[in-house]
Amino acid sequence: MKPPLNIVSSNDFQTPPIAIIPLLQYIPLEWTIWECATGQGNLVNAFWAYGYKNIIATDIQTGENFLGIEPKRQYDIIVTNPPFSLKQKFLERAYDLGKPFAFLLPLTTLETEKRQNLFQKYGLEIILFNHRINFQRPNGIEKSSSWFATAWFTWGLNIGKELNFVKLTDKY
């Protein structure tokens, strides 16, 4: 798959194909996957390589903004590495759509009260990696060691794990 446009931004970090391996056991081959922040197509190509044939690929760079559109075709799950600067909006939109999703996000996604409220309201399951993911940089070079940890933030996949959130206060 060719990149839609040659636009480089601080959000343009492409996911290495190896990152989808932990998801494969939770996504049936017959499901239709919506990859809504396709970028250069790394995730789409990885899913194809593992036998997934029903993939909808959209990206804001081609005029298809996940925050305002939904595919005309039916889909079963949303899987993407969203722009980290838009993680709050992507999470809100995904929960509103009510379809299972898996977003590759930095662990710092857990830090804000606003996101924690979303996770408490709807639920969240996280797939953690045993090492950091090395993303392809906007210049096409893969960084040999990432400076931040990521995980698959999922909902609706029934992976069987939960997290508990507490609100800390100065009072006991």
Side-chain angles (χ1 to χ4, degrees):
M1 176 173 220
K2 293 181 182 176
L5 294 175
N6 191 17
I7 297 173
V8 175
S9 78
S10 61
N11 283 317
D12 188 14
F13 285 77
Q14 302 300 311
T15 311
I18 193 171
I20 70 160
I21 291 173
L23 293 177
L24 299 178
Q25 63 184 311
Y26 304 109
I27 303 174
L29 278 172
E30 66 273 6
W31 275 16
T32 298
I33 299 167
W34 179 17
E35 211 297 39
C36 61
T38 302
Q40 295 178 358
N42 289 11
L43 291 179
V44 170
N45 290 333
F47 277 115
W48 281 337
Y50 281 101
Y52 292 84
K53 301 302 178 206
N54 303 313
I55 302 170
I56 301 166
T58 63
D59 195 279
I60 193 168
Q61 294 181 18
T62 58
E64 299 168 299
N65 185 346
F66 171 70
L67 300 176
I69 65 137
E70 195 169 359
K72 290 177 177 53
R73 287 179 35 207
Q74 291 290 336
Y75 60 95
D76 299 294
I77 186 170
I78 305 162
V79 179
T80 197
N81 168 13
F84 292 168
S85 67
L86 297 174
K87 61 185 164 276
Q88 179 71 33
K89 290 180 180 183
F90 266 68
L91 286 163
E92 289 169 352
R93 172 81 168 141
Y95 282 122
D96 285 345
L97 290 171
K99 295 280 190 168
F101 67 81
F103 288 173
L104 187 61
L105 292 168
L107 292 183
T108 57
T109 301
L110 295 168
E111 292 179 346
T112 69
E113 184 176 0
K114 191 171 183 179
R115 283 192 290 275
Q116 288 180 7
N117 289 338
L118 270 179
F119 301 149
Q120 286 178 325
K121 180 177 179 180
Y122 296 104
L124 176 70
E125 296 174 325
I126 296 180
I127 300 172
L128 296 160
F129 302 107
N130 63 342
H131 59 81
R132 292 179 177 180
I133 297 295
N134 296 322
F135 293 89
Q136 185 181 31
R137 305 275 315 256
N139 59 7
I141 298 171
E142 185 175 297
K143 185 156 176 48
S144 61
S145 62
S146 182
W147 63 90
F148 57 92
T150 56
W152 284 109
F153 285 64
T154 74
W155 179 81
L157 291 181
N158 300 314
I159 65 173
K161 306 291 179 197
E162 295 180 2
L163 295 175
N164 293 303
F165 294 90
V166 297
K167 186 173 183 176
L168 296 176
T169 64
D170 293 333
K171 301 176 185 175
Y172 287 95

